[in-house]
């Protein structure tokens, strides 16, 4: 399960690194992501344990910031852990990470969805990452 989860996580992250812009829906007259972009963002949020933010959220900046942060910074740390064979202490930069962030990266590497969600909640990520937030490796969001 963990190898398949990591493969799905990194594939989704690669797609979400630069999410699509919202466009005007001619049928409704409202701005939004197209269906494929919404599905991709929903998958990323699900895999990374983001449980209460969705692609249709009114705070578009938070949606995009969350997707980009997860797809670049967090996914890069998971990729580093994969390269280190799952040995978190082998990552030089991990020494400076907050314990809650270390647990989150470890849970993502292990691929246990319940643990990923629990760790995301401990970091206060469930509702997304607002613009201007401190780096996740510094600890829970304010």
């Amino acid at each position: 399960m963990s190898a398949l989860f990591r493969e799905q996580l990194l594939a989704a992250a690669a797609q979400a690194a630069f999410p699509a812009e919202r466009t005007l829906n001619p049928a409704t007259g409202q701005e939004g992501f197209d269906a494929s972009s919404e599905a991709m963002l929903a998958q990323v949020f699900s895999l990374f344990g983001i449980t209460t933010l969705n692609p249709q959220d009114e705070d578009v900046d938070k949606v995009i910031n969350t997707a980009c942060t997860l797809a670049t910074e967090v996914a890069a740390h998971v990729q580093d852990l994969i390269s280190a064979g799952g040995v978190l202490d082998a990552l030089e930069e991990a020494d400076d990470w907050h314990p809650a962030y270390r647990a989150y990266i470890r849970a993502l590497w292990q691929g246990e969805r319940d643990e990923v969600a629990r760790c995301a909640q401990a970091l206060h990520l469930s509702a997304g990452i607002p613009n201007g937030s401190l780096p996740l490796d510094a600890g829970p969001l304010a």
Side-chain angles (χ1 to χ4, degrees):
M1 162 80 173
S2 61
L4 177 59
F5 179 86
R6 288 191 298 265
E7 184 178 309
Q8 291 172 338
L9 182 88
L10 295 175
Q15 290 180 329
F18 300 100
E21 293 292 322
R22 290 168 47 117
T23 57
L24 188 64
N25 181 331
T28 65
Q30 296 181 334
E31 280 193 357
F33 293 108
D34 63 39
S36 64
S37 294
E38 280 189 12
M40 176 269 303
L41 289 167
Q43 180 185 26
V44 168
F45 293 166
S46 173
L47 289 168
F48 282 90
I50 309 304
T51 56
T52 61
L53 181 68
N54 66 63
Q56 300 90 12
D57 195 277
E58 289 180 14
D59 190 345
V60 178
D61 289 337
K62 185 192 291 186
V63 170
I64 292 171
N65 190 58
T66 300
C68 290
T69 300
L70 296 173
T72 56
E73 296 170 27
V74 176
H77 288 151
V78 173
Q79 183 63 56
D80 290 346
L81 187 56
I82 292 168
S83 298
V87 181
L88 195 58
D89 290 332
L91 301 179
E92 190 174 309
E93 70 270 18
D95 290 341
D96 296 328
W97 294 349
H98 188 278
Y101 186 72
R102 290 172 61 96
Y104 182 56
I105 296 299
R106 186 178 298 113
L108 289 167
W109 181 82
Q110 291 171 340
E112 296 295 330
R113 285 184 179 257
D114 291 343
E115 185 66 8
V116 169
R118 189 192 67 69
C119 291
Q121 188 171 15
L123 283 169
H124 306 162
L125 299 181
S126 301
I129 305 166
N131 280 345
S133 297
L134 292 175
L136 294 179
D137 59 11
L141 297 176

